[in-house]
Amino acid sequence: MTATTHPSFFLNEHIPPAPAVSSWTRFIHEFEPSEFTNWIDESESWKQTAYIGDWSSLPNKIVVKGPDAVRFFQDLSINTFKNFEVGRAKHSVQCSRSGRVITEGILMRLGEEEVKFTGGPLYWAEYQFAKGNYNATLTQRGTSDFIIQIQGPRSLDILEAASGESHRDYKFLNVRQTTVAGHPVWSLRQGMSGELGFELHGDGAHAVEVHQALLDAGEQFGVRRLGGRTKMVNHVEACFPTPLVDYMPAVGDEPEFAQYLAETHPELAYLAYFPSTGSHVPAGYDDAYRTPHELGWGRSINFDHEFIGRAALEESAAAPHRTMVTLVWDKDDVKDVYASLFDSETPYDFMEMPRALFDSFAVDSVRANGREVGVSTSRCYSYHFRDMISLSSIDAEHAEPGQQVEVIWGSPGSPQKTIRATVARAPYKRDNRRVDVADLPTQVQN
């Protein structure tokens, strides 16, 4: 694939769109190119070669500096902070006082008194910082910083070729500085694709040059750019529940925070009501709120410190919980949905390929023995596995791989189809994020 001289940072104000892009898709309240090559080609990239993607606009980027920088995030996070040394990173899960997830993201310790948090477009940390009395400063970086992901088995080769140095000295969820295109960047070893991967952070003024350097270095390794049509398929294959897709941030649990958002960030008004589609009928405004257990993050809860939501989570710790699994939809039942498009009667609701766009919160009812035992979200087609799959927050008694359940396809008032589904482990794809790179062969080609 030939790299263009006009890299597309479709959500980054610093980089113009690629001229070859002819269609666009919605990502929450922004727009991005739908495809660069085609969605099948792009969806194979993180399993076979690598992709480069831009996450510069919507994630919240907060830098906190000062003696209380780490303590501040400890007060917000359900996670333990033992062994959180300089150069380490963690998945910080933050809850409301009711113990339901309000935001989450990656927290990196860049110095003894400096941390950086990147998460969803929510201002929970800023709100809590203003309420507290912390000996630190908080800066919202916004698009002043870029975030570029390189994901896939060739991501190490691409980063080493672009930086001119080895990147085999730091493990999964570690971070260190490097240089790309002559500019300093932070390189976080993570894996949002479920594969070996890196996430680069740097000054937005250098985004174009860094992005182009990565494209140039990746050309020999078959690098792809990721369009909006396929970018979230990896979240399902690798089981990364996502706000506004698999759950809603528990803003309603904190009325004062909801009022703060309405007054200071009216562009986030959609968080109060995000249109819901699918067969599941919500029981109330908070029906789509989830605890860490329900999203598969229960193992991250640690009661070795005080944090917002601790009392609620302690109270519920011994209670039965729903958990997160993958559902594999029956192929013949799925084929019936598409076949209905050619029938004379009203067809079933269309199954967008490879998955639905970000214009509604799609939740389907999961049933067993005639009753609802969970909900299904993030339905998508995995070309790699040739399966229609989804994530499901499901009662623990039905979470064993191999169990059979039913997904109801079709919104109320539309024709509905009962689709058989098999419970599978989550992540569905083998987790290769922690691969030992120390002894991997150098693959840079001349």
Side-chain angles (χ1 to χ4, degrees), residues 289-399:
Y289 295 173
R290 302 283 183 265
T291 67
H293 290 284
E294 293 172 308
L295 296 173
W297 301 333
R299 63 186 179 278
S300 296
I301 303 173
N302 196 299
F303 298 117
D304 64 356
H305 65 293
E306 294 297 326
F307 59 87
I308 298 173
R310 171 175 170 160
L313 290 174
E314 282 184 317
E315 185 176 343
S316 65
H321 298 286
R322 284 187 170 179
T323 189
M324 185 64 66
V325 300
T326 303
L327 295 183
V328 184
W329 296 27
D330 183 83
K331 289 179 170 61
D332 289 332
D333 291 344
V334 170
K335 290 175 184 177
D336 287 345
V337 173
Y338 288 105
S340 73
L341 294 171
F342 299 91
D343 292 339
S344 58
E345 298 178 359
T346 304
Y348 297 115
D349 290 352
F350 180 62
M351 287 185 180
E352 183 65 63
M353 293 285 273
R355 58 171 297 157
L357 304 179
F358 285 86
D359 54 0
S360 66
F361 182 59
V363 189
D364 292 311
S365 178
V366 178
R367 299 179 185 176
N369 303 318
R371 67 180 183 89
E372 187 170 86
V373 297
V375 292
S376 169
T377 55
S378 283
R379 177 216 51 90
C380 76
Y381 172 68
S382 170
Y383 176 81
H384 185 76
F385 292 105
R386 305 299 201 273
D387 280 325
M388 192 71 78
I389 59 177
S390 66
L391 298 180
S392 177
S393 182
I394 196 169
D395 292 349
E397 63 187 278
H398 295 281

Side-chain angles (χ1 to χ4, degrees), residues 258-286:
Q259 183 63 31
Y260 165 84
L261 280 181
E263 294 174 353
T264 59
H265 299 284
E267 74 278 8
L268 297 179
Y270 64 86
L271 289 174
Y273 176 72
F274 204 53
S276 177
T277 62
S279 61
H280 172 73
V281 178
Y285 78 92
D286 61 348

